[in-house]
Amino acid sequence: MDFFVVSLLNGLSYGLLLFMVSAGLTLVFGMMGVLNFAHSSFYMLGAYFGYSVGRLTGFWPALIVAPLGIAFLGALIERYLLRPVHRHGHAHELLVTFGLVFIIDELVKLLYGNYPLKNPMPVELSFSAFRLFGLDYPFYRVFIALVAIVMFGAILALSRFTRVGLIVRAAVRRPHMVEALGHNVPMVFLGVFAGGAALAGLAGVVAGVFYPTGPSMAQELGVIVFVVVVVGGLGSLEGAFVASLLIGIFSSFAVGVNWTLADAFALVGVAGADLWGGAFTVKLSTVAGAIPFVLMFLVLLLRPAGLLGERQ
Amino acid sequence: MILEVRDLHAGYGRSRILHGVSFAIDKGEIVSLVGRNGSGRSTTMKAIVGLVRPDSGSVRLDGAEQAGRNAYEIVRDGIAYVPEERRVFDNLSVHENLVLGCQSPRHGIAAWTIDRMYAYFPRLLERRGMKAGSLSGGEQQMLTICRSLLGNPRVILIDEPTEGLAPHIVARVVEVVQDIRKNGVAVILVEQKLTIALRISDRVNVVGHGQIVWSGTPAALREDADIRRRWLEVA
């Protein structure tokens, strides 16, 4: 029971963090048709910006300032790197973002060193939220979840109740038609790209003091975030939300479960399958890292447009 | 002349579609572009409104050059575009589709409003909260026309509005197009059904191989079997 509850809570918190990063990625893909490989680099930069700003001002101002800095950087990248290559097609845009990943990785190593930083959690957030089965549950995990939920609420409200949100929702579907109704679509693209970068940056600031802030942050999260966006349905914010939680919870449970295929056979009455060895004795926990990809595989097989994606 | 197109060249990638299109239209006129598939009618419209950037040539709206500007700037200055295949935002409600079309009214032209559209098409009012993707083909066509009119254009380009619609709905679309003209808006129409184009147009331009190959009144085109055979009829 304690394993179940703790895994569920950890999974929710991690899933919500995944959502903060994948929200921007899926919106940008929906609008511009470009998978931005550098998106999780914005997440990493958020952590480093947060660290640097935080040393000057403390954690709370950094929570605001660092994402704004990342938004500005994102705007520059969209305007001066992506837009000029846009007319050459998606492949060129992909390559630009792919190159950015390496440039940002190396710059971070150059400026901060090729090792994780000591980026401590603010003391006012470093306490136990509640005691659970004799264990302290860190409040910070709750904090990560709260930030993500507030952010999700804010994006939903912005997208449902404002004119800009309406234009974005329409442009995700038919950007040319939106422009043909007199809306400045290039400016909307710029705004969404910068906004998505800011959200990833915010996630980075928040996660940077809990998980290690290091030069491999972008890589570690990058692949999982792509899986989230594919499973949720490319371009679907709600889909990304569901997929983030699913993958967060699945990963969190798998790490602690030592079931094997042989156990499954034993359940249906075939005893002794563990003697066959090989795949039958591999524990679920040792393949936990593969769970998101198995999920992606199944979704692509059964519902290629993703859980909440609509076929265009 | 409210809109003058002169020597317009345009195309996609390496394939050039338009090789010097020239024509003009005045306020309150309906001018049709007719021709076979692939002759360049739709591309002409897209080039006028800036969705396809012209390689050369000129598009003047009330004397002001539009060629080379962004589509959204051209639309804001008064050229509306209704695409073929009725591209409604199927993920949005009928009302949201209309809201997206609204632009601030233009000096000296009676403004179109959403209420006026609902009064004109009670059917859209009944369905205002429904997803636009669930409307019938005819209703979607009305919606795209209304949506573009809410930008308060001086010229409206309508691409194949009757394609795939039942006859009684086609009649309604034709009425609507004539009503738009009565409001002083110039209408440029691409219409596959020649009988309709001839019935409602003031002038007809025959498009062939990316140029205007013939221009004149519907009556003159009715007389000229040779032009019709050469450029319009399918063998």
Side-chain angles (χ1 to χ4, degrees):
Chain A
M1 186 61 199
D2 51 344
F3 166 73
F4 180 83
V5 174
V6 171
S7 292
L8 185 68
L9 289 175
N10 287 351
L12 281 174
S13 164
Y14 178 59
L16 285 164
L17 177 73
L18 282 181
F19 171 70
M20 275 200 272
V21 183
S22 41
L25 185 63
T26 202
L27 278 180
V28 167
F29 179 83
M31 279 191 83
M32 307 164 83
V34 172
L35 262 182
N36 174 17
F37 280 114
H39 194 73
S40 51
S41 300
F42 292 142
Y43 162 75
M44 176 170 73
L45 282 178
Y48 277 100
F49 271 35
Y51 167 78
S52 291
V53 177
R55 290 213 320 187
L56 294 173
T57 65
F59 177 76
W60 297 103
L63 193 61
I64 310 289
V65 174
L68 289 179
I70 303 291
F72 183 66
L73 184 73
L76 289 180
I77 287 173
E78 201 281 336
R79 179 67 188 82
Y80 294 105
L81 292 178
L82 282 179
R83 203 180 293 179
V85 301
H86 180 72
R87 63 197 173 89
H88 298 297
H90 289 338
H92 286 69
E93 289 177 287
L94 274 180
L95 285 174
V96 167
T97 67
F98 199 59
L100 272 172
V101 172
F102 295 110
I103 294 172
I104 293 174
D105 268 8
E106 294 307 316
L107 274 179
V108 160
K109 286 181 202 163
L110 209 64
L111 294 173
Y112 291 92
N114 191 5
Y115 43 81
L117 293 177
K118 212 171 133 63
N119 189 8
M121 192 184 294
V123 279
E124 63 268 31
L125 291 175
S126 171
F127 60 91
S128 157
F130 40 80
R131 277 185 79 78
L132 207 62
F133 311 108
L135 292 168
D136 286 326
Y137 195 82
F139 172 76
Y140 203 80
R141 281 193 188 273
V142 180
F143 178 71
I144 292 177
L146 284 178
V147 172
I149 289 169
V150 168
M151 189 201 89
F152 187 40
I155 310 180
L156 273 190
L158 206 66
S159 115
R160 297 287 157 217
F161 304 120
T162 69
R163 189 169 163 83
V164 170
L166 184 61
I167 294 170
V168 170
R169 277 188 290 150
V172 167
R173 190 53 63 95
R174 298 183 184 283
H176 294 297
M177 195 57 231
V178 175
E179 180 154 12
L181 291 174
H183 300 290
N184 187 345
V185 170
M187 187 57 104
V188 174
F189 277 11
L190 182 91
V192 169
F193 196 88
L199 296 183
L202 176 67
V205 181
V206 171
V209 298
F210 189 72
Y211 303 101
T213 299
S216 60
M217 274 180 97
Q219 267 181 29
E220 280 160 14
L221 206 71
V223 183
I224 300 295
V225 167
F226 277 114
V227 173
V228 165
V229 169
V230 171
V231 168
L234 290 164
S236 163
L237 198 62
E238 292 85 348
F241 187 72
V242 173
S244 300
L245 290 183
L246 268 183
I247 287 177
I249 291 171
F250 268 114
S251 312
S252 158
F253 270 99
V255 174
V257 175
N258 286 323
W259 294 339
T260 62
L261 263 184
D263 295 336
F265 274 79
L267 268 184
V268 293
V270 183
D274 50 331
L275 297 174
W276 303 342
F280 291 94
T281 53
V282 176
K283 288 172 180 160
L284 189 60
S285 55
T286 55
V287 293
I291 298 271
F293 301 98
V294 174
L295 201 62
M296 176 166 82
F297 177 73
L298 288 176
V299 165
L300 285 179
L301 209 62
L302 301 171
R303 211 181 138 75
L307 293 177
L308 297 183
E310 287 169 62
R311 225 167 286 227
Q312 300 207 359
Chain B
M1 289 288 158
I2 184 77
L3 187 79
E4 281 180 279
V5 178
R6 190 162 300 158
D7 202 25
L8 199 60
H9 288 71
Y12 309 90
R14 291 228 178 95
S15 70
R16 305 289 88 202
I17 311 283
L18 304 186
H19 305 282
V21 171
S22 303
F23 69 96
I25 182 169
D26 209 348
K27 266 183 220 159
E29 275 191 324
I30 299 179
V31 169
S32 297
L33 303 175
V34 298
R36 295 201 180 100
N37 285 332
S39 58
R41 301 161 306 171
S42 294
T43 309
T44 301
M45 288 193 158
K46 286 181 191 156
I48 290 173
V49 80
L51 287 173
V52 170
R53 200 156 281 236
D55 302 319
S56 65
S58 143
V59 176
R60 286 177 183 275
L61 175 67
D62 213 4
E65 184 60 61
Q66 304 297 325
R69 301 178 79 210
N70 289 312
Y72 71 90
E73 295 170 310
I74 297 175
V75 171
R76 279 185 197 169
D77 278 0
I79 302 182
Y81 171 65
V82 182
E84 60 188 326
E85 295 158 4
R86 334 177 230 291
R87 307 231 165 87
V88 297
F89 301 110
D90 48 7
N91 55 333
L92 304 181
S93 73
V94 168
H95 191 73
E96 286 172 326
N97 267 268
L98 292 174
V99 169
L100 273 168
C102 293
Q103 296 287 347
S104 48
R106 206 168 306 284
H107 181 71
I109 294 182
W112 304 83
T113 62
I114 292 185
D115 286 341
R116 191 173 160 198
M117 293 303 171
Y118 281 149
Y120 196 44
F121 294 110
R123 196 85 180 134
L124 293 181
L125 181 60
E126 282 165 33
R127 289 163 191 252
R128 70 193 296 277
M130 289 172 63
K131 289 265 183 289
S134 68
L135 298 182
S136 72
E139 289 162 351
Q140 289 192 13
Q141 187 62 60
M142 300 307 175
L143 181 59
T144 43
I145 293 177
C146 290
R147 190 178 64 181
S148 293
L149 276 178
L150 284 165
N152 295 304
R154 291 186 274 188
V155 180
I156 188 166
L157 315 174
I158 310 180
D159 199 350
E160 301 251 19
T162 66
E163 195 186 15
L165 298 183
H168 65 283
I169 300 173
V170 169
R172 182 78 174 116
V173 171
V174 167
E175 260 176 59
V176 171
V177 170
Q178 286 170 318
D179 278 349
I180 295 171
R181 177 239 306 261
K182 274 184 210 140
N183 280 275
V185 180
V187 182
I188 301 176
L189 188 67
V190 164
E191 180 52 65
Q192 191 70 48
K193 300 179 181 71
L194 192 60
T195 46
I196 292 178
L198 291 178
R199 196 168 80 230
I200 66 175
S201 305
D202 297 295
R203 268 171 305 113
V204 180
N205 293 311
V206 179
V207 187
H209 305 318
Q211 288 178 317
I212 306 288
V213 292
W214 185 92
S215 184
T217 61
L221 188 57
R222 275 196 202 95
E223 300 292 302
D224 200 332
D226 186 43
I227 288 289
R228 289 206 311 272
R229 198 165 41 244
R230 229 176 116 195
W231 296 107
L232 299 174
E233 279 152 21
V234 182

